[in-house]
Amino acid sequence: MRTAVLVEPNEFELEDRPRPSPGPDDVLVAVRDVGICGSDVHYYEHGRIGDYVVEDPLVLGHESAGEVVEVGENVTHHEPGDRVALEPGVPCRRCAHCKRGDYHLCEKVTFMATPPHDGAFTEYVSWPADFAYTLPESVSTAEGALCEPLSVGIHACRRGSVGTGDTVLITGAGPIGLMVLEAARAAGATDVILTDVVEEKLEFAKERGADLTVDVTETDLDAAVAEYTDGVGADVVVEASGAEPSIKSTIDVVRRGGTVVLVGLASEAEVPIDVLELIDNEVDVHGSFRYKNTYDAAVDLLADGEVDVEGIIDFESELEDIDDAFRRAMEPTVVKGMISLDS
């Protein structure tokens, strides 16, 4: 099978690898669509993300969907021909985190495209059947692949308890910020504000239903939010950029008694925060790491037409053109690139 392998920073090689066989509890999936995530780009450029270092050739790609071509002997809920989205993190199922239901916090998780585990920029993937989610006919495999970033948005909104009538502020209008926008609307938010530093991304967010967009290089965010909310502030602030100024701004624009959810990964581990302001305003601050129990909801939302994920796709490329696709994905105005494999 054809496989794109990251062999050096900024260099893929196409290899022919043996097609895997499914284990007794696995499905063998012919990969159809894989999204290019920001983490993929970071590994491509730098060969590492924090403590995760690419020391050996690595297959990237963790936003994936395809068609089941073979099932293991114990698999009863999938059959060849099923189109499925693959949840990329498989936990140990035995640790304290898994047993309490927080399987996304499992420290022994196997996560696609996180060293040393290979991802989905390949023709076939064998994956545990219970982490493969059947797609109805109305949902494409491109949409199925983007259940992954949509899941990040769903989980962030759950962490912030976004509900009917809420005003939600999202910092960062990249793929995750836009997926938080979709999830927040589906959860009942009536007003959604997005910020960014790239005007084209803000215009795109406006087209996708943001009620207010703020270019923080030109406009004082605190003043803009105060004016929009009659001085109250946002009920929930979701930080999706990882930019230090945006992280610091969250406690200035959230209302008293409101909630801040941190999703974006900062380049520095420590960011100064006014703790007295947090206490005085009784602000809840939550981290949001990946997701849990979101894929069924993501598929249902897509099937019901409640969210749009295909609209964020800027381009599709073939596996053979993956180097060019990654260079294109690095352009500041690009939101999402996809690798599409032959059916």
Side-chain angles (χ1 to χ4, degrees):
M1 63 179 183
R2 295 173 301 156
T3 303
V5 183
L6 183 69
V7 293
E8 298 285 348
N10 300 295
E11 183 183 352
F12 283 106
E13 285 186 1
L14 282 178
E15 296 182 1
D16 285 322
R17 291 189 172 185
R19 172 173 145 169
S21 297
D25 300 309
D26 299 342
V27 289
L28 181 65
V29 175
V31 179
R32 296 290 180 248
D33 289 282
V34 189
I36 300 174
C37 177
S39 64
D40 293 319
V41 173
H42 203 88
Y43 281 126
Y44 178 74
E45 281 192 276
H46 305 290
R48 68 182 300 156
I49 297 178
D51 294 333
Y52 295 101
V53 181
V54 181
E55 296 178 341
D56 298 302
L58 182 70
V59 181
L60 295 176
H62 62 268
E63 304 173 356
S64 64
E67 181 179 333
V68 175
V69 295
E70 189 178 344
V71 301
E73 60 188 58
N74 296 335
V75 177
T76 59
H77 62 289
H78 288 303
E79 60 185 22
D82 286 353
R83 296 156 55 257
V84 294
L86 299 181
E87 183 173 353
V90 178
C92 76
R93 310 169 194 259
R94 295 180 298 276
C95 69
H97 300 299
C98 289
K99 288 180 177 180
R100 70 167 61 98
D102 294 329
Y103 69 86
H104 63 309
L105 301 179
C106 174
E107 295 178 359
K108 296 181 180 179
V109 65
T110 296
F111 201 91
M112 282 186 183
T114 300
H117 307 295
D118 282 338
F121 287 131
T122 184
E123 289 188 293
Y124 295 92
V125 168
S126 180
W127 205 245
D130 53 339
F131 283 83
Y133 298 81
T134 301
L135 300 174
E137 287 301 317
S138 60
V139 178
S140 69
T141 51
E143 291 175 300
L146 296 182
C147 282
E148 201 280 337
L150 178 58
S151 284
V152 176
I154 293 170
H155 186 64
C157 286
R158 288 176 177 174
R159 291 288 285 160
S161 300
V162 175
T164 303
D166 278 349
T167 295
V168 178
L169 169 66
I170 304 162
T171 56
I176 298 304
L178 293 174
M179 291 299 94
V180 175
L181 165 62
E182 295 291 330
R185 286 290 194 209
T190 50
D191 292 273
V192 182
I193 306 166
L194 262 85
T195 75
D196 207 281
V197 297
V198 179
E199 185 59 34
E200 291 87 347
K201 288 185 175 180
L202 291 171
E203 291 174 1
F204 187 52
K206 193 74 172 179
E207 292 172 6
R208 291 182 60 83
D211 298 286
L212 175 68
T213 59
V214 181
D215 183 339
V216 292
T217 65
E218 297 181 353
T219 303
D220 180 83
L221 179 60
D222 197 0
V225 172
E227 180 179 1
Y228 188 84
T229 63
D230 294 326
V232 175
D235 297 296
V236 182
V237 179
V238 180
E239 205 302 298
S241 73
E244 183 174 326
S246 291
I247 296 170
K248 290 180 178 179
S249 74
T250 57
I251 59 173
D252 297 324
V253 293
V254 69
R255 67 167 173 81
R256 299 194 77 189
T259 303
V260 172
V261 180
L262 302 177
V263 182
L265 298 178
S267 58
E268 298 294 334
E270 297 182 5
V271 176
I273 293 289
D274 188 336
V275 177
L276 294 179
E277 191 170 350
L278 290 179
I279 296 169
D280 183 63
N281 290 319
E282 203 170 69
V283 173
D284 291 334
V285 179
H286 297 283
S288 185
F289 181 68
R290 293 175 180 164
Y291 36 78
K292 62 174 180 177
N293 302 316
T294 53
Y295 263 67
D296 281 328
V299 172
D300 287 345
L301 287 170
L302 288 166
D304 292 343
E306 295 295 324
V307 296
D308 168 40
V309 295
E310 278 191 310
I312 72 169
I313 299 173
D314 291 295
F315 68 90
E316 298 180 6
S317 294
E318 296 181 354
L319 191 65
E320 288 78 6
D321 299 321
I322 191 167
D323 269 308
D324 288 338
F326 265 67
R327 284 191 284 269
R328 188 173 177 186
M330 292 160 60
E331 296 174 4
T333 58
V334 169
V335 175
K336 177 61 65 176
M338 300 289 292
I339 299 295
S340 299
L341 287 81
D342 295 336
S343 59

